[in-house]
Amino acid sequence: MQLKRILVPLAGTSVDPEVIRVAIALGKPAKAEIVAIHVIEVRWNLALDAILEPESERGEGVLDDAVKVAEQAGAHIETELVQAREAAAAIIDTARDRKADLIVLGMPFRKRLGRVYVGKTVQSVYVGAHCAVLAYRQEETR
Amino acid sequence: MSEGRDRGDGGEGAGPPSLEERATKSGSRPGDRYVRIVRPAAGEFRRHGGHYIATRRVDAPQGRLGRAYQAARRILFGERLTSEEEVDERLSKKTGLAIMASDNISSSAYATEEAMRVLAIAGATALALTMPIAIAVCVVLGVVILSESRVIRAYPNGGGSYLVAKDNHGVVPGLIAASALLIDYVLTVAVSSAAGVAAISSFVPEVHDHRVLWSLGLIALLTIGNLRGIREAGVIFAAPTYVYVISLLGLIAYGLFRVASGDVPTPVVPRDAFEPQGIELLTPLIVLRAFASGSVGLTGSEAIANGVPNFRPPESRNAVITLVWMGTIFGTLFLGLTYLATRIGIAPDASELETVNSMLTRSLVGDGTPVYLLVQISTAIILLLAANTGFSGFPRLASVLADDRFMPRQFAFRGERLAFSFGIVALALMSAGVVAAFHGSVTELVPLYTIGVFVAFTLSQSGLVRRWWRLRDPGWRVSMFINSFGTVVTGTVLVVVAYTKFFYGAWMVLVVMPILVGMLYGINRHYRSVQDALTLDRPDEPIPQLKPPVVIIPVARLDRATLQAVAFARSISPSVRAVHIASSAESAEEFARRWKRWTTEVPLDVIESPYRSLLQPLLRYIERIDQRDDRPITVVLAEFVPRNWWEWILHSQTALRLKLSLLFRPNTIVIDVPYHSEDTGHGVTPRGPEDPSR
């Protein structure tokens, strides 16, 4: 599969640096363009385009950190900040809009009721995306 | 997917400019929408707490030349520091002692000798008074340290004597104290660099012929070190200070052991001894002069109180501890060296061929021994590093004065390394000027020294007396007694120093000081008048409604730059008029014809200038228009900007000359509309005779 564009949704968790490195490694052979995206989920009682200072600041921080990780790995990535009601839908739409061939999702290692927990966003993107989706689960922390 | 832009689209009715652009997009599911936030400046501006922070990338130079210059700056001055790193740049007590007390501690290298030289005039027996005088100086130092520690606690934001005098005596005494200290800091750097070179030339005599150049070189080195930031300067310059202190303490301990064990060494005899019977009678005046000369050891003790914010938190406590350390170290060295010199029987050299400390060291450890060399070399270095006290004191005091609007505001700005770069460079230039004017001679410079510091001490101590009397805090009587005693003592020393050194150069300081006070006062008056003119009457002052201005466009020729300027002028006002200065009747007619053919929407005045002068007719025209209209006059200039800097010389720079001529003209707004050779016209649709598409 010849990858041209990879979309990497980032939530600001500990798995972010790893998932960026995975995407860079996957895209390197075909010199694929990598786009990191952070979605600010807007509550229903607010306007969709409301200016959410703390969330925007955090989102910019997440994306700036991703750029730094990529620079350390010798790669250049694009970033995109998005506001939506639901992160999964915005990721799917951005992937379609940007004509991404692959979405690389990161999952921090979490357990609920003794089982590895896969978040709602990961599940929805996995099911709804038009392109290939790769889910990267973080190594179990000891 | 449909798209709607909320901000920054630059189209008709666009909102205010913004660093981000928000575009609402439709999602793939019915009714779904999301907002794309485009950040063209991502990486350059970071959002933080409702505002933007410019990142390191913003300052990164673009061109190759700029990058090379930046790299050279980084090597010379180090990496830039953010404002938040200021706390990390503060000094610990150890580095604070090295950088802020070096002037005072280095005084121990010559204070004994200075007192001895005066007493020696009255004969060898008068030298026995050296030790009582040293004790008296140390008592004064104790009083000064006690009162300076009170200054630190009362004024933790620095400023020292200036603030104390200003708060308790008024503005003028405060400015006298400030100018005295500023002069003293400049002289500290000048004297220290000259003394450092003198010490080097003792080992390498060839240096003596080029001592001014060497002094300037040393000032340049110290400037670079201090521009790297106060902490780094402390780290660079700390080691030599401690080597000096440890080697001298070791020498004193060894000397005391020998004296206590009855093994008193034979004194080294000076090559050019004073007359043993003396040339004058031992009068109280000679004793006072000896005391005044020995009081050079008190210089530099004000620097810590002046620069309290340089210390790590708790600033006041650390500053007081450092001050006590400084006094203890100086007192121990001064008393120890004086005791040994008088006990062994060292006499000063009349021709200054060898210092008393050098003779004392030679008497104790022998000539040319490693210990002798260590003491001499570390003495040379500490004398040079005493200049650091000036470099830490002057910029800090200048910044306090600038904050109070008594000095230009540039002195309050911190540079890339958080040092007060402007103050450091100004100090370096002034002290370099002093060194050059006095030919790098320590003997010529020393009489100018110490007056300033005693003026500041006397004013600050008397200021504290008034403060204690006014506030009457618990224990005020003790504090008032200490400071009253200090006022009398430092005031006496000031009178004695001024009297004895007046004709040797001290008069210059006494002349310069009032001039400087006048300058500081004048600067403040200017800032106050500016503030009165600019300050809003109330915080919710409404934005005034202005009528569109009268716009005048000086036009040299009809070209793309003119086209762009006319388009811009019409976008800000309907009242636009072009003016052309022609050198002959033919060219005037020709230009008017071409203009009329191009447009009839913008009226043109053509002025024929038979003497070919350009600026004067234009300025007079603007003046006359302005007299006939009460609206602000706006001059829109079309300026061609060449691609390379060297192409500038090929153009006449009329716009630049006109801008300069109009700079100070009241009620006049000058707008420059640059036209770059690669410009596409900023949304201007070219038409008319110069349109290339035609």
Side-chain angles (χ1 to χ4, degrees), chain B residues 63-246:
Chain B
R64 209 181 305 163
L65 205 67
R67 278 198 293 273
Y69 172 68
Q70 195 79 298
R73 280 180 71 99
R74 295 288 84 83
I75 294 166
L76 214 53
F77 304 120
E79 277 301 320
R80 284 171 295 169
L81 298 169
T82 62
S83 304
E84 288 114 49
E85 288 171 286
E86 199 265 329
V87 175
D88 304 329
E89 275 298 291
R90 305 274 190 93
L91 298 171
S92 66
K93 292 189 283 292
K94 283 178 198 151
T95 42
L97 183 80
I99 201 161
M100 297 177 85
S102 51
D103 181 22
N104 179 261
I105 292 174
S106 73
S107 307
S108 59
Y110 52 81
T112 307
E113 180 164 347
E114 290 299 317
M116 277 184 151
R117 300 188 75 79
V118 179
L119 291 171
I121 299 169
T125 47
L127 291 177
L129 286 172
T130 314
M131 193 61 198
I133 285 172
I135 293 169
V137 169
C138 286
V139 168
V140 177
L141 180 68
V143 172
V144 167
I145 284 175
L146 261 178
S147 59
E148 289 293 310
S149 65
R150 282 169 163 73
V151 171
I152 290 168
R153 292 216 170 87
Y155 296 91
N157 294 325
S161 303
Y162 156 67
L163 275 188
V164 180
K166 186 173 133 241
D167 265 18
N168 300 292
H169 288 312
V171 173
V172 174
L175 293 182
I176 293 172
S179 55
L181 284 176
L182 291 175
I183 293 170
D184 210 64
Y185 286 136
V186 173
L187 291 171
T188 300
V189 175
V191 170
S192 302
S193 57
V197 172
I200 296 168
S201 65
S202 306
F203 295 100
V204 193
E206 294 79 29
V207 169
H208 187 80
D209 294 339
H210 308 287
R211 57 185 178 175
V212 173
L213 274 180
W214 274 80
S215 294
L216 299 185
L218 289 173
I219 291 173
L221 267 180
L222 287 167
T223 307
I224 293 168
N226 279 281
L227 283 173
R228 291 184 72 94
I230 192 160
R231 188 179 60 86
E232 207 163 305
V235 171
I236 297 169
F237 302 130
T241 308
Y242 284 104
V243 170
Y244 171 80
V245 171
I246 291 166

Side-chain angles (χ1 to χ4, degrees), chain B residues 9 11 34 52 93 97 137 185 194 284 319 464 466 515 569 611 647:
Chain B
D9 61 354
Y34 65 98
Y52 288 104
K93 292 189 283 292
L97 183 80
V137 169
Y185 286 136
L464 280 182
R466 290 184 77 165
I515 296 172
Y611 300 103
E647 290 170 351

Side-chain angles (χ1 to χ4, degrees), chain A residues 48-51 53 56-57 60 63-64 71 79-84 86 89-90 93-94 96-98, chain B residues 1 6-7 20 22 25 27-29 32-37 39 43 45-50 57:
Chain A
L48 181 64
D49 58 355
I51 295 171
E53 283 288 353
S56 298
E57 190 180 317
E60 286 185 4
L63 295 175
D64 289 345
E71 278 171 0
T79 60
E80 187 158 336
L81 191 61
V82 166
Q83 270 186 204
E86 194 192 307
D93 287 333
T94 306
R96 192 188 297 273
D97 202 23
R98 289 278 201 146
Chain B
M1 282 184 209
D6 294 341
R7 284 197 280 169
E20 66 176 34
R22 287 171 173 242
K25 296 192 144 207
S28 50
R29 291 185 306 195
D32 214 359
R33 287 186 309 141
Y34 65 98
V35 177
R36 224 182 128 192
I37 305 169
R39 304 172 302 141
F45 296 95
R46 190 161 51 85
R47 204 190 280 268
H48 180 76
R57 206 180 290 178

Side-chain angles (χ1 to χ4, degrees), chain B residues 501-687:
Chain B
K501 293 185 175 180
F502 188 82
F503 292 108
Y504 299 99
W507 63 268
M508 281 186 260
V509 177
L510 296 173
V511 167
V512 171
M513 218 184 290
I515 296 172
L516 194 54
V517 170
M519 273 171 62
L520 299 179
Y521 205 78
I523 290 169
N524 182 256
R525 202 168 48 190
H526 166 77
Y527 279 132
R528 271 185 295 150
S529 69
V530 170
Q531 193 177 2
D532 288 346
L534 292 178
T535 308
L536 297 175
D537 293 332
R538 23 184 251 262
D540 58 343
E541 185 101 11
I543 300 171
Q545 293 295 321
L546 289 182
K547 284 185 262 178
V550 174
V551 182
I552 294 171
I553 316 168
V555 177
R557 62 190 72 81
L558 205 52
D559 57 12
R560 286 170 192 241
T562 306
L563 189 79
Q564 197 165 289
V566 170
F568 174 77
R570 279 162 57 85
S571 73
I572 58 170
S573 175
S575 177
V576 179
R577 184 170 282 272
V579 58
H580 174 76
I581 308 290
S583 55
S584 65
E586 295 79 42
S587 66
E589 275 170 32
E590 170 61 19
F591 192 85
R593 204 167 36 246
R594 286 182 65 200
W595 187 270
K596 206 168 182 184
R597 204 166 58 215
W598 176 57
T599 181
T600 49
E601 290 169 32
V602 179
L604 170 79
D605 281 332
V606 179
I607 300 168
E608 192 190 324
S609 172
Y611 300 103
R612 296 163 305 285
S613 63
L614 183 66
L615 285 184
Q616 282 314 317
L618 211 48
L619 291 171
R620 191 54 61 88
Y621 174 84
I622 292 166
E623 211 169 285
R624 292 290 166 256
I625 295 274
D626 190 24
Q627 277 172 358
R628 294 178 49 220
D629 209 306
D630 64 338
R631 289 176 292 176
I633 202 149
T634 300
V635 180
V636 171
L637 300 169
E639 189 174 14
F640 176 74
V641 183
R643 197 189 301 258
N644 296 307
W645 64 266
W646 52 266
E647 290 170 351
W648 273 95
I649 358 169
L650 305 175
H651 298 268
S652 60
Q653 310 304 334
T654 315
L656 189 67
R657 283 190 288 150
L658 197 56
K659 251 188 292 184
L660 288 172
S661 311
L662 295 168
L663 193 63
F664 296 105
R665 194 177 186 282
N667 198 38
T668 310
I669 300 160
V670 181
I671 299 175
D672 197 22
V673 182
Y675 186 87
H676 295 261
S677 46
E678 63 270 27
D679 253 8
T680 52
H682 291 303
V684 178
T685 312
R687 65 184 178 94

Side-chain angles (χ1 to χ4, degrees), chain B residues 306-512:
Chain B
N306 184 25
V308 182
N310 286 337
F311 284 92
R312 283 185 194 154
E315 294 88 347
S316 298
R317 186 173 174 273
N318 288 338
V320 169
I321 292 171
T322 312
L323 186 71
V324 173
W325 284 359
M326 181 196 78
T328 311
I329 291 171
F330 171 78
T332 310
L333 295 181
F334 183 41
L335 289 177
L337 291 170
T338 308
Y339 173 73
L340 287 174
T342 48
R343 181 74 179 80
I344 293 170
I346 304 286
D349 190 303
S351 307
E352 298 183 54
L353 293 169
E354 190 174 3
T355 63
V356 165
N357 276 13
S358 169
M359 285 187 273
L360 173 66
T361 315
R362 279 209 292 143
S363 306
L364 283 168
V365 296
D367 195 3
T369 57
V371 176
Y372 172 72
L373 288 175
L374 177 72
V375 170
Q376 285 310 104
I377 292 169
S378 62
T379 303
I381 296 173
I382 188 99
L383 281 171
L384 171 65
L385 293 189
N388 258 324
T389 301
F391 274 106
S392 67
F394 182 98
R396 169 64 66 179
L397 178 60
S399 80
V400 174
L401 286 164
D403 282 338
D404 286 354
R405 308 280 172 91
F406 285 107
M407 276 184 89
R409 303 186 75 164
Q410 294 89 317
F411 283 95
F413 298 150
R414 286 176 185 269
E416 289 182 341
R417 297 283 299 178
L418 294 168
F420 294 106
S421 315
F422 202 83
I424 291 171
V425 174
L427 171 68
L429 291 175
M430 284 188 280
S431 50
V434 172
V435 166
F438 287 83
H439 316 104
S441 160
V442 183
T443 319
E444 285 181 45
L445 283 165
V446 158
L448 282 71
Y449 204 32
T450 67
I451 285 193
V453 82
F454 281 104
V455 169
F457 277 150
T458 311
L459 283 169
S460 77
Q461 301 222 25
S462 57
L464 280 182
V465 172
R466 290 184 77 165
R467 181 185 169 86
W468 305 136
W469 177 256
R470 199 178 67 244
L471 298 177
R472 303 197 182 195
D473 290 332
W476 67 276
R477 284 190 179 85
V478 177
S479 300
M480 208 171 117
F481 172 75
I482 290 169
N483 291 124
S484 302
F485 182 61
T487 308
V488 173
V489 173
T490 52
T492 309
V493 178
L494 171 65
V495 172
V496 173
V497 170
Y499 175 69
T500 52
K501 293 185 175 180
F502 188 82
F503 292 108
Y504 299 99
W507 63 268
M508 281 186 260
V509 177
L510 296 173
V511 167
V512 171

